[in-house]
Amino acid sequence: MRATVIHAPHDIRVQEVPDPTIQQPTDVVLRVLRACICGSDLWAYRGESARRPGQRIGHEFIGIVEEAGPEVGGFARGDLVVAPFVWSDGTCEYCAEGLTTSCPQGGFWGSVGSDGGQGEAVRVPFADGTLVKLPAAAASDDRLLTALLALSDVLGTGHHAAIGAGVKPGTTVAVVGDGAVGLCGVMAAKRLGAERIIALGRHQVRTDIARTFGATDVVAERGEAAVAAVRELTGGAGAHAVIEAVGTEQSMRTAVGITRDGGSIGYVGVPHGSGTGLDLGVMFDRNIALRGGVAPVRTYIPELLPDVLAGTIDPSPVFDLTIGLDEVPVGYKAMDERTALKVLIKP
């Protein structure tokens, strides 16, 4: 089959790899219907996170079960499923607590020795604990299928940030980052009842989506100017809840600067370039809480799925470029150059 592999920074290729097979009785093999490129994939693409030459890549996908191992009880050939970006066994203490990303037997798609989502097929370990079944009819609804793909990562990650930030009805929320996760954070804040949502971003196409998703205000400034703008909008106090969806030192400093005393920051931006850290004394003095990290999206899918199926929320606009599998290198270049927000792949 064909799949995406990374050989070196800026060297993404689609090439022939061995077909996946059932290796453990709890595995399934699925045929990928939709996949996409994540902003976090760009750190490997740019050489800022290490990858072995020839390593697979991609962690967001929806597919059809082609084969199921003998101990798989919840899925059969022909089932339409969504895969969260981390597999998990569904039986350990962490999984029972909802922290599926800490499952001792779990792992990330595209890690050494595993399949990546940007290919024609994937072997899924611990299928019963990992996959979530979708209505079969969704396979013939292109818009709905695209919206459901967001459940594999960005929608659940935005929701995780909103939960970490303590978003609740009546709060003022600020979102740092206008990428797909930040935009889904806006959607999550709206869904959780935020009264005011301030989106920080400089690209009008993206901030227009943010307004569609529920943003009431947009701040285009960066750094200290952004802090001043948000504080002016909030009468000098700052936001009750801040979503940080970038992961740089500057973005986190901005998040701290725009948080109201006693407020919380939900951070989900993959940390990069933030080696000097934060001044915890500032957070201590102002009673600012920091919660977040890698999102256990498998836990959130059952909660978010009904709203996506009903059309109550529709994250599909974050996908603004659609390509075939052979065009994946072009998709990476487009996202790296910020000419695309999030690239949808149809294998």
Side-chain angles (χ1 to χ4, degrees), residues 85-209:
F85 66 85
V86 172
W87 71 78
S88 51
D89 62 21
T91 60
C92 71
E93 289 185 5
Y94 285 114
C95 287
E97 294 167 2
L99 195 60
T100 51
T101 50
S102 291
C103 176
Q105 298 196 86
F108 291 78
W109 310 112
S111 56
V112 175
S114 74
D115 293 331
Q118 295 164 14
E120 293 183 309
V122 176
R123 179 183 75 90
V124 178
F126 303 106
D128 284 332
T130 301
L131 300 174
V132 176
K133 190 180 297 187
L134 302 173
S140 59
D141 185 331
D142 193 63
R143 184 211 59 78
L144 178 57
L145 203 61
T146 301
L148 291 167
L149 176 60
L151 289 166
S152 65
D153 185 347
V154 288
L155 184 58
T157 297
H159 178 73
H160 185 56
I163 294 294
V167 177
K168 57 186 178 182
T171 50
T172 293
V173 180
V175 180
V176 181
D178 60 2
V181 170
L183 294 174
C184 286
V186 170
M187 177 174 284
K190 176 70 172 178
R191 179 179 175 275
L192 292 171
E195 181 177 321
R196 191 176 192 184
I197 303 171
I198 304 167
L200 280 68
R202 297 184 296 166
H203 303 84
Q204 185 174 345
V205 171
R206 299 182 179 200
T207 55
D208 285 349
I209 296 174

Side-chain angles (χ1 to χ4, degrees), residues 251-274:
S251 64
M252 188 61 84
R253 289 188 183 279
T254 297
V256 172
I258 63 178
T259 304
R260 179 189 181 99
D261 286 17
S264 300
I265 300 169
Y267 72 107
V268 292
V270 178
H272 54 280
S274 55

